[in-house]
Every structure is written in C-alpha cells, then in structure tokens.
C-alpha cells in the first residue's frame, strides 16, 4: 500500500490518540470522516495498522520491578525456548536478536523473589543477563515517514 502524506497525517493522529473519532481526525487533517474511515480501513487491511490496545502501567497495578533479560540459548534449546516464552505472564515483549545473545525480553515482577524464581526457570534454556529498568526515557515513540 502506498503511504501518502494524508495517510501519514491520519496515522500520526491515531498514534497520538487511537480513541479519537474519525470526525476529529478529519478536522485535523482536512478531510471528511468517511474518507478517514476508508483510509484507516485500508491501512488495517494492509497490516500497517496492526491493532489498538490499552497501555497499562505495571508499577501502578502492583509490579515492583521491570527488567530487561537477555538469553544466550544453549545448543538445541532456542526453539524450545521460543515456544515456552509465550506462556510466561511476566514477559511484556520478547525479541529474537543478533549478537552474542539470542533473546531480549522486557519483563515485570512483583518483587526480587519473583525475579529470582523467573531466572531459575530460564537457566535450563541458556545463560541469562539481567538489567533492572530504573526509568523509561522514550515511551511509545510514533513511527514517522521515511525520509
């Protein structure tokens, strides 16, 4: 699908606030609500817009720790891990990466004991490294047009 300037403007509005109405978006970008709706539908159908979700603060719902954990999988353990990681409630995001490690995960924990227990589950799959997140510097930065 071709992303023209109008589609980028609509996408920018949605990334700022996906709950705003098509009427409000239309007023901001200078087209009618039906035109906005049609373009959004086309971007959804093309897979450009992949979904809508609610952002939840882990700290405000009781989690005390957020961490980034990398895993360097043991020989033959990467594929089993890739299936198992989908079942961990603690994992917010998981990426397969290049470099010395195979995996990086963003995870949340109730406390230090919970973190220790989680790492104990991971060590059967490989060597881990854990970094505790102190603060979020850039959060949900919008995707911008290619230059």
């Amino acid at each position: 699908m071709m992303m023209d300037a109008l589609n980028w403007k609509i996408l920018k509005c949605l990334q700022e606030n996906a709950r705003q109405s098509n009427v409000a978006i239309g007023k901001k970008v200078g087209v009618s609500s039906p035109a906005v709706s049609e373009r959004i539908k086309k971007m959804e159908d093309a897979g450009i817009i992949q979904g809508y979700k609610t952002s939840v603060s882990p700290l405000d719902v009781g989690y005390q720790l957020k961490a980034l954990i990398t895993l360097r999988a043991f020989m033959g353990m990467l594929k089993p891990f890739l299936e198992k990681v989908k079942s961990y409630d603690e994992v917010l995001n998981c990426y397969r990466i290049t470099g010395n490690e195979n995996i990086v995960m963003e995870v949340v924990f109730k406390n230090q004991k919970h973190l220790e227990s989680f790492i104990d589950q991971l060590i059967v799959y490989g060597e881990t490294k854990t970094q505790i997140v102190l603060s979020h510097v850039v959060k949900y930065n919008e995707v911008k047009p290619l230059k």
Side-chain angles (χ1 to χ4, degrees):
M1 176 181 181
M2 186 66 175
M3 286 294 290
D4 63 12
L6 182 55
N7 281 347
W8 278 109
K9 288 178 184 177
I10 292 168
L11 200 55
K12 180 177 178 25
C13 289
L14 289 171
Q15 288 181 104
E16 289 170 355
N17 176 5
R19 293 188 66 173
Q20 63 188 304
S21 70
N22 290 345
V23 171
I25 294 170
K27 286 180 183 176
K28 289 178 184 176
V29 302
V31 297
S32 69
S33 172
V36 169
S37 180
E38 181 181 332
R39 284 177 174 260
I40 289 172
K41 176 79 169 104
K42 285 180 180 177
M43 286 188 280
E44 289 170 345
D45 290 346
I48 294 166
I49 296 174
Q50 297 179 344
Y52 304 88
K53 66 177 188 149
T54 300
S55 177
V56 176
S57 167
L59 292 175
D60 290 332
V61 296
Y63 290 98
Q64 298 299 309
L65 295 172
K66 182 184 271 190
L68 299 176
I69 299 177
T70 58
L71 176 81
R72 183 176 185 180
F74 295 140
M75 186 68 71
M77 295 304 289
L78 181 58
K79 287 193 181 206
F81 175 78
L82 293 174
E83 285 305 311
K84 180 64 176 170
V85 71
K86 297 171 188 173
S87 70
Y88 292 132
D89 292 338
E90 296 88 349
V91 177
L92 300 178
N93 289 292
C94 178
Y95 302 96
R96 190 168 175 187
I97 59 172
T98 61
N100 290 331
E101 285 82 20
N102 308 100
I103 300 292
V104 64
M105 295 171 281
E106 180 183 6
V107 290
V108 291
F109 303 103
K110 294 179 278 191
N111 51 40
Q112 187 174 340
K113 190 166 183 69
H114 186 191
L115 167 60
E116 182 179 7
S117 171
F118 185 77
I119 291 171
D120 288 346
Q121 294 175 62
L122 295 181
I123 59 176
V124 299
Y125 295 100
E127 181 182 319
T128 66
K129 290 182 185 173
T130 302
Q131 294 91 28
I132 302 297
V133 174
L134 299 176
S135 63
H136 213 137
V137 179
V138 176
K139 191 170 191 172
Y140 307 117
N141 204 2
E142 67 185 54
V143 175
K144 297 181 174 112
L146 293 170
K147 292 183 180 183

